[in-house]
């Protein structure tokens, strides 16, 4: 095949040399990713963050392609060249099962994007599957096993899913570029020149230790500054409450939802198949929300309108030990006429920036290995005090969300945010205080 080039804002030229990769990009399932934003509601906070999963998937493919190319020429005795196409394909397809507003939708409708990813790859009815079968009949299963973490050669899996993999490397650079914040810009070129295959995994040369350190610090910064931003999470909880309201109304108002939001019916009725799932994207959802804005149900209409017009909820942080006192706050909402089920929410966001291998952990992590000058292999945090200080510790916060009208700007309560927060701590918040 003649080389195909996709111009890309992060990697400049993304080169496609394999026909199968090009055909996969042209399937309807992959083209659908153009209609799904990579960052979901984060674009409401960082307005440049409107890029699609399509561009991210191409980026992950490109980083993987550059790595396996180097492995093929520099480490032919450790890297099996026949795994190159498999690694590039799994990289390209790793997010194929993501849906519109994935994480919120999954919580409300019990879908699972990783499972859908494997389903799209292995189900004979998809175009993706048909293209993969042209490589070999067992190729779809192989790709699915890389994504399901069961492929025997761990080198391939770690390229796509580990603490420093092609997926994370692309999203940090891409999200940082499009959101306009610089925290995510690490030295990709350097990392790609020190990455090496090991017998059963991947490692990084000691000479590039600082580039790896820098990558982890920037990843940490992006989580704290961008991914966990309170306003993006406010849009997420708004969306969650909106879906919740629609779900509750559906049984009594089937005709209304058939008319305004037909593609959601299989999910309300909990009998969806793969095709139903693939019919949803950001545009479809946003059109439904606009139609719901005129619903005769005041809560549905109001939440939809708040979402479309970005009228975000406000929030305060709270400690786990004060969790019980949130009930008082919910009571306050009720006292002024807000239904607390739909006009408040609790949102937790925590991240583990780096961890060593702990066999007993719920999801044990593959640690980052560094190859020292004498050939010995060491775990990263034993060599870097900086990384060691981040290791094993979680960062993030819990927030209680409520309508802006509850603050003094909205006249309902003569309280500012600090006072609100203090009330949670003191635990004597009650409707009479206002
Ligand atoms: Ca991804």
């Amino acid at each position: 095949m003649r080389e195909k080039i996709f111009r890309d804002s992060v990697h400049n030229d993304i080169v496609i040399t394999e026909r199968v990769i090009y055909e996969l990009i042209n399937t309807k399932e992959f083209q659908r990713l153009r209609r799904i934003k990579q960052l979901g509601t984060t674009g409401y906070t960082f307005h440049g963050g409107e890029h699609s999963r399509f561009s991210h998937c191409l980026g992950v493919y490109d980083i993987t392609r550059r790595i396996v190319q180097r492995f093929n020429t520099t480490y032919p005795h450790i890297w099996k060249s026949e795994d190159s196409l498999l690694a590039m394909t799994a990289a390209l397809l790793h997010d194929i099962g993501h849906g519109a507003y994935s994480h919120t939708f999954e919580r409300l409708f019990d879908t699972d994007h990783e499972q859908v990813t494997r389903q799209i790859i292995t189900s004979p009815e998809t175009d993706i599957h048909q293209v993969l079968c042209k490589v070999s009949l067992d190729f779809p299963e192989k790709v699915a096993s890389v994504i399901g973490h069961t492929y025997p050669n761990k080198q391939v899996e770690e390229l796509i899913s580990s603490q420093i993999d092609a997926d994370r490397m692309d999203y940090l650079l891409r999200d940082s570029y499009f959101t306009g914040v610089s925290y995510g810009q690490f030295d990709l070129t350097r990392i790609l020149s020190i990455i090496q295959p090991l017998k059963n995994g991947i490692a990084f040369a000691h000479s590039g230790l600082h580039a790896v350190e820098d990558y982890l610090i920037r990843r940490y910064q992006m989580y704290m500054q961008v991914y966990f931003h309170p306003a993006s999470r406010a849009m997420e909880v708004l969306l969650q409450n909106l879906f919740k309201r629609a779900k509750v109304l559906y049984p009594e108002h089937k005709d209304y939802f058939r008319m305004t939001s037909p593609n959601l019916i299989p999910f309300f009725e909990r009998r969806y198949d793969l095709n139903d799932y693939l019919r949803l994207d950001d545009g479809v959802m946003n059109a439904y929300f606009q139609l719901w804005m005129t619903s005769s149900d005041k809560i549905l209409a109001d939440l939809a309108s708040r979402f479309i017009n970005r009228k975000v909820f406000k929030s305060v942080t709270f400690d786990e030990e004060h969790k019980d006192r949130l009930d008082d706050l919910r009571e306050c909402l009720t006292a002024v006429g807000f239904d607390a089920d739909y006009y408040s929410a609790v949102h937790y966001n925590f991240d583990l920036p780096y961890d060593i291998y702990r066999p007993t952990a719920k999801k044990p992590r593959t640690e980052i290995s560094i190859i020292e000058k004498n050939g010995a292999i060491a775990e990263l945090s034993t060599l870097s005090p900086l990384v060691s200080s981040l290791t094993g510790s979680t960062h993030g916060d819990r927030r209680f969300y409520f309508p802006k009208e509850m603050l003094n700007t909205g006249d309902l309560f003569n309280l500012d945010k600090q006072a609100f927060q203090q009330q949670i701590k003191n635990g004597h918040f009650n409707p009479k205080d206002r």
Side-chain angles (χ1 to χ4, degrees):
M1 186 187 80
R2 237 185 72 221
E3 235 176 51
K4 301 281 179 193
I5 310 258
F6 286 76
R7 305 300 299 274
D8 185 69
S9 14
V10 174
H11 305 301
N12 295 324
D13 285 355
I14 293 179
V15 185
I16 314 283
T17 49
E18 305 286 335
R19 176 173 295 280
V20 57
I21 296 289
Y22 189 60
E23 286 185 12
L24 286 171
I25 294 171
N26 286 330
T27 58
K28 60 178 189 294
E29 293 90 10
F30 196 84
Q31 290 294 317
R32 166 183 162 272
L33 298 177
R34 289 181 187 272
R35 305 191 297 274
I36 295 172
K37 275 187 255 165
Q38 169 74 7
L39 285 178
T41 60
T42 300
Y44 287 97
T45 310
F46 299 92
H47 65 260
E50 295 274 334
H51 52 297
S52 67
R53 294 220 177 254
F54 181 91
S55 70
H56 165 62
C57 288
L58 283 183
V60 179
Y61 154 79
D62 191 58
I63 291 177
T64 308
R65 181 189 64 82
R66 285 150 78 183
I67 295 172
V68 300
Q69 208 165 46
R70 202 170 142 267
F71 283 7
N72 279 326
T73 49
T74 317
Y75 306 99
H77 50 297
I78 312 178
W79 172 256
K80 284 191 284 171
S81 64
E82 63 265 32
D83 273 338
S84 299
L85 183 63
L86 176 65
M88 292 190 289
T89 306
L92 183 77
L93 300 180
H94 80 284
D95 270 350
I96 193 80
H98 260 293
Y101 302 113
S102 265
H103 300 293
T104 318
F105 192 81
E106 284 182 1
R107 211 169 303 134
L108 268 286
F109 295 99
D110 288 329
T111 55
D112 174 352
H113 72 269
E114 270 185 35
Q115 190 212 322
V116 179
T117 294
R118 290 197 299 274
Q119 213 182 332
I120 293 173
I121 290 167
T122 56
S123 152
E125 62 192 285
T126 65
D127 292 355
I128 294 266
H129 182 84
Q130 296 303 326
V131 173
L132 292 174
C133 282
K134 291 183 189 173
V135 177
S136 67
L137 287 178
D138 63 348
F139 197 55
E141 279 302 334
K142 270 190 183 170
V143 177
S145 73
V146 173
I147 287 162
H149 312 287
T150 54
Y151 189 65
N153 180 1
K154 292 294 160 200
Q155 295 167 335
V156 180
E157 182 185 324
E158 286 186 25
L159 284 183
I160 293 147
S161 173
S162 62
Q163 299 198 70
I164 178 162
D165 59 16
D167 178 25
R168 290 172 191 217
M169 288 195 258
D170 183 78
Y171 76 63
L172 288 182
L173 293 173
R174 192 169 299 280
D175 296 347
S176 144
Y177 175 90
F178 283 101
T179 54
V181 303
S182 60
Y183 309 111
Q185 299 293 332
F186 63 94
D187 193 347
L188 176 67
T189 317
R190 184 83 184 117
I191 301 249
L192 295 190
S193 70
I194 55 157
I195 188 169
Q196 297 181 21
L198 290 178
K199 226 173 137 213
N200 201 26
I202 52 169
F204 300 84
H206 187 273
S207 57
L209 180 70
H210 298 300
V212 175
E213 258 179 354
D214 186 51
Y215 156 88
L216 281 174
I217 304 295
R218 284 167 188 270
R219 181 181 175 278
Y220 165 74
Q221 296 271 30
M222 279 297 277
Y223 273 81
M224 295 305 122
Q225 308 277 346
V226 177
Y227 303 131
F228 290 175
H229 196 287
S232 319
R233 290 156 65 190
M235 288 298 279
E236 233 178 280
V237 302
L238 200 49
L239 190 60
Q240 181 188 309
N241 290 358
L242 176 62
F243 280 139
K244 190 159 82 177
R245 185 62 180 172
K247 250 178 94 173
V248 166
L249 292 175
Y250 176 75
E252 297 293 316
H253 301 83
K254 290 187 177 175
D255 285 340
Y256 176 76
F257 288 99
R258 254 182 223 124
M259 227 159 55
T260 56
S261 36
N263 292 10
L264 284 176
I265 303 293
F267 299 91
F268 287 136
E269 297 197 342
R270 297 172 149 274
R271 46 162 190 82
Y272 62 92
D273 60 22
L274 187 56
N275 283 319
D276 296 322
Y277 187 88
L278 295 173
R279 268 191 281 271
L280 293 177
D281 59 42
D282 288 358
V284 169
M285 296 278 212
N286 290 340
Y288 292 169
F289 302 156
Q290 295 215 34
L291 291 171
W292 292 351
M293 281 166 69
T294 58
S295 161
S296 61
D297 180 76
K298 281 209 174 69
I299 296 178
L300 188 74
D302 182 51
L303 293 177
S305 149
R306 284 177 192 249
F307 186 79
I308 290 293
N309 298 314
R310 196 195 177 279
K311 300 287 176 241
V312 291
F313 286 169
K314 292 291 170 190
S315 65
V316 284
T317 54
F318 65 92
D319 299 326
E320 189 65 16
E321 55 185 302
H322 299 130
K323 208 171 78 183
D324 298 343
R325 295 175 188 164
L326 297 177
D327 280 340
D328 295 344
L329 297 178
R330 291 192 188 96
E331 243 170 66
C332 288
L333 286 170
T334 313
V336 296
F338 284 117
D339 187 331
D341 277 349
Y342 303 106
Y343 285 90
S344 71
V346 165
H347 196 277
Y348 289 43
N349 247 157
F350 286 95
D351 181 45
L352 189 60
Y354 177 70
D355 204 10
I356 54 168
Y357 175 69
R358 297 176 206 271
T360 53
K362 238 194 247 158
K363 278 190 186 168
R365 305 227 180 167
T366 321
E367 55 201 23
I368 298 181
S369 304
I370 302 292
I371 305 176
E372 294 190 84
K373 285 187 194 85
N374 61 9
I377 291 167
E379 183 276 315
L380 174 64
S381 69
T382 61
L383 301 175
S384 160
L386 213 78
V387 172
S388 144
S389 73
L390 279 178
T391 299
S393 64
T394 52
H395 299 260
D397 62 18
R398 332 170 158 68
R399 283 178 178 274
F400 177 75
Y401 281 89
F402 53 87
K404 190 180 175 189
E405 291 91 326
M406 298 295 285
L407 294 177
N408 51 7
T409 45
D411 299 333
L412 284 178
F413 288 92
N414 192 21
L415 279 178
D416 60 17
K417 244 167 105 160
Q418 275 75 35
F420 212 83
Q421 208 148 15
Q422 202 52 48
Q423 300 278 17
I424 300 179
K425 276 201 187 122
N426 299 343
H428 61 251
F429 196 91
N430 69 59
K432 280 168 246 136
D433 286 345
R434 72 193 155 99

